[in-house]
Amino acid sequence: MTTLLKSATIIDASSPFHKQQKDILITNGFIEKIANSIPAKKEYEVVNYPNLHVSCGWFDTSVSFGEPGFEERETIQNGLLTAAKSGFTAVAITSNTDPIVDSKSAVEFLINKGASSNVDVFPIAALSKNSDGKEMAELYDMKQSGAIAFGDYNKPINNDNLLKIALQYAQNFDGLVLSFPKNNAIAGEGIVNEGVNSTSLGLKGAPALSEHLQIARDLFLLEYTEGKLHIPTISTAKSVQLIKDAKKKGLQVSCSVTPHHLTLTDDELAGFDSNVKVNPPLRTKSDTKALIKGVKDGTIDMITSDHNPIDIENKKLEFSLALDGTIGMESLFGAVHSVLDLETIIEKLTKGPRAVFGLEKTQIAKGAKANITLFNPDELSTFTEEHILSTSKNSAFIDKKLQGKAYGIYANNQLVTK
């Protein structure tokens, strides 16, 4: 099959065609030619979208699909189709299924289920057995089966020694350990950010201190063990500073941030909309400003949707009873483009996460394997339920203004568009 992308503006800082508008010819999954104009032949599949831009394929490093165990929230098949149409050529699937992804067979199940998709599947296996934080899972066996990292999704590692041992043990096979930034003892029963809004609304608050203490502990253990640590979905200004200081000391630490923490604040709580009940909770305007600055200066390595489908029975409830989580793949690009420049966004969705998780580099160049995201950075829209491709509809961005949209992807010798 031959596909011709017409008049595509290339956004790839590593490419000699960066910021140039070119035609791109793809044959049997590889880029055959890049030129100012390539004549279309009858047998070509021609792609010619308004204001077409292309970049290396986006990688979302925190995606929950539910299957196995919670198929009513999302199946792997529909989840991967949603990822493709949202611009992602690769996703890291979290371990919060039933059963938990804490064994070699569970890792292989996820990989096999995604084998026929044009979206690459990379499991993040549980760090502890059943994600209960007590006993370390068989990390090496899961690494051999295809797991790219280890972490108990949205669950802090309360056992200091467990994290220490994991950081030491994983060094034997260059493993990456994840630690969710929350101290349960300090957070207590808090369900939103502790502050003016939580007090005025009568909602139990979790102080930002719970995140800071956990990150500080993690960084002390990282310095002691000389391991490799990833802190997912940070949410506060102090967290940015702690990680920035650790990087200056030469520690192997990375972190991610979500679109909702970059663009939304706890002012959203006024409507008691359970779609904005997330973990970590939405913070303050000063926190969002610091997170944006952290993305720009390189402290924050990547942006992730933290896509977490929740069925209506567990989400459309009284705020205090609803489960945490928002879907996010469909809205990620349009949300962050309202606060970040295009080149920074692309770097945080491509080069940044691939470097941290040790994946193969991609490039838009002649002879390279075609791993490409197609998008329009300028289209303005209001995000509604009609834009949601996921089975579950729990989006924090419903009725929010977005700038930019994904057309789809070309990857693994397949074109998938909306």
Side-chain angles (χ1 to χ4, degrees):
M1 176 187 288
T2 300
T3 300
L4 177 60
L5 308 181
K6 294 291 292 182
S7 302
T9 300
I10 298 170
I11 306 297
D12 177 7
S14 66
S15 170
F17 304 107
H18 181 46
K19 292 187 176 181
Q20 298 180 34
Q21 189 177 83
K22 299 288 183 180
D23 287 0
I24 303 173
L25 189 67
I26 304 170
T27 302
N28 296 325
F30 289 84
I31 298 174
E32 181 180 333
K33 187 177 182 181
I34 301 175
N36 290 332
S37 180
I38 300 174
K41 295 183 179 180
K42 185 178 180 180
E43 65 271 21
Y44 288 179
E45 179 180 33
V46 180
V47 177
N48 194 358
Y49 289 125
N51 195 32
L52 176 61
H53 284 59
V54 298
S55 72
C56 294
W58 302 346
F59 174 31
D60 194 340
T61 59
S62 180
V63 172
S64 303
F65 285 150
E67 185 180 359
F70 302 108
E71 287 83 356
E72 72 278 6
R73 299 178 183 177
E74 189 68 280
T75 63
I76 292 174
Q77 181 181 10
N78 189 67
L80 292 176
L81 181 60
T82 298
K85 292 184 176 182
S86 301
F88 297 97
T89 63
V91 294
I93 300 181
T94 57
S95 60
N96 55 323
T97 53
D98 186 17
I100 295 288
V101 182
D102 63 355
S103 66
K104 178 179 180 178
S105 60
V107 170
E108 292 171 349
F109 172 83
L110 294 180
I111 292 175
N112 291 335
K113 287 288 287 189
S116 61
S117 171
N118 65 327
V119 177
D120 293 326
V121 169
F122 298 102
I124 295 179
L127 180 74
S128 65
K129 291 183 179 179
N130 203 37
S131 287
D132 61 11
K134 296 178 181 178
E135 186 178 353
M136 191 168 68
E138 297 291 343
L139 306 189
Y140 180 71
D141 283 352
M142 294 189 290
K143 171 80 170 182
Q144 293 296 99
S145 296
I148 60 168
F150 310 96
D152 296 335
Y153 179 72
N154 270 18
K155 291 183 177 182
I157 303 169
N158 297 321
N159 185 324
D160 304 337
N161 194 52
L162 175 62
L163 180 59
K164 178 181 76 71
I165 292 172
L167 286 167
Q168 291 173 324
Y169 178 67
Q171 293 178 55
N172 294 310
F173 48 88
D174 195 32
L176 178 64
V177 171
L178 277 64
S179 179
F180 185 67
K182 182 180 181 181
N183 180 300
N184 276 336
I186 296 295
E189 297 180 355
I191 56 174
V192 298
N193 181 57
E194 183 181 80
V196 173
N197 285 319
S198 65
T199 302
S200 63
L201 295 170
L203 296 171
K204 293 181 179 179
L209 178 65
S210 66
E211 182 167 311
H212 307 155
L213 286 178
Q214 194 78 352
I215 289 177
R217 181 210 66 168
D218 292 350
L219 294 175
F220 272 116
L221 290 173
L222 179 65
E223 185 172 15
Y224 177 80
T225 60
E226 300 181 348
K228 188 163 62 171
L229 178 70
H230 177 67
I231 302 174
T233 62
I234 66 170
S235 67
T236 76
K238 180 67 173 178
S239 297
V240 175
Q241 190 60 52
L242 287 168
I243 293 169
K244 186 174 185 177
D245 292 344
K247 287 188 171 187
K248 286 181 180 178
K249 292 171 67 175
L251 301 186
Q252 292 189 80
V253 60
S254 60
C255 64
S256 66
V257 68
T258 73
H260 41 280
H261 288 109
L262 287 170
T263 61
L264 304 178
T265 70
D266 60 358
D267 289 342
E268 299 289 333
L269 300 174
F272 291 95
D273 180 2
S274 61
N275 283 331
V276 298
K277 187 184 181 189
V278 291
N279 190 19
L282 298 179
R283 303 292 187 182
T284 67
K285 186 65 177 177
S286 61
D287 289 312
T288 62
K289 287 181 178 178
L291 291 167
I292 291 168
K293 183 179 178 181
V295 170
K296 291 179 178 179
D297 69 19
T299 301
I300 298 175
D301 302 88
M302 66 198 75
I303 300 170
T304 175
S305 70
D306 198 26
H307 183 82
N308 189 6
I310 304 294
D311 55 282
I312 193 170
E313 288 82 5
N314 286 293
K315 198 61 170 172
K316 199 170 185 180
L317 298 170
E318 181 182 332
F319 192 92
S320 61
L321 299 177
L323 294 182
D324 298 323
T326 175
I327 58 172
M329 289 192 294
E330 300 98 313
S331 54
L332 182 150
F333 179 65
V336 297
H337 198 208
S338 64
V339 294
L340 292 169
D341 66 276
L342 182 58
E343 288 182 70
T344 297
I345 295 168
I346 299 305
E347 196 275 336
K348 299 303 178 182
L349 294 175
T350 56
K351 180 182 176 182
R354 283 184 172 270
V356 169
F357 284 86
L359 303 188
E360 182 182 0
K361 294 180 181 179
T362 56
Q363 187 181 26
I364 298 178
K366 181 180 178 181
K369 184 178 180 180
N371 187 293
I372 297 172
T373 295
L374 293 71
F375 61 97
N376 180 346
D378 299 326
E379 182 169 323
L380 300 175
S381 64
T382 299
F383 191 74
T384 67
E385 197 166 302
E386 294 178 358
H387 296 104
I388 295 176
L389 306 171
S390 302
T391 302
S392 297
K393 310 302 179 185
N394 56 305
S395 172
F397 286 99
I398 290 178
D399 295 331
K400 297 293 189 293
K401 302 290 185 182
L402 305 183
Q403 180 184 341
K405 74 170 186 179
Y407 286 128
I409 64 172
Y410 187 102
N412 292 324
N413 203 19
Q414 298 178 59
L415 175 71
V416 178
T417 58
K418 291 183 179 178

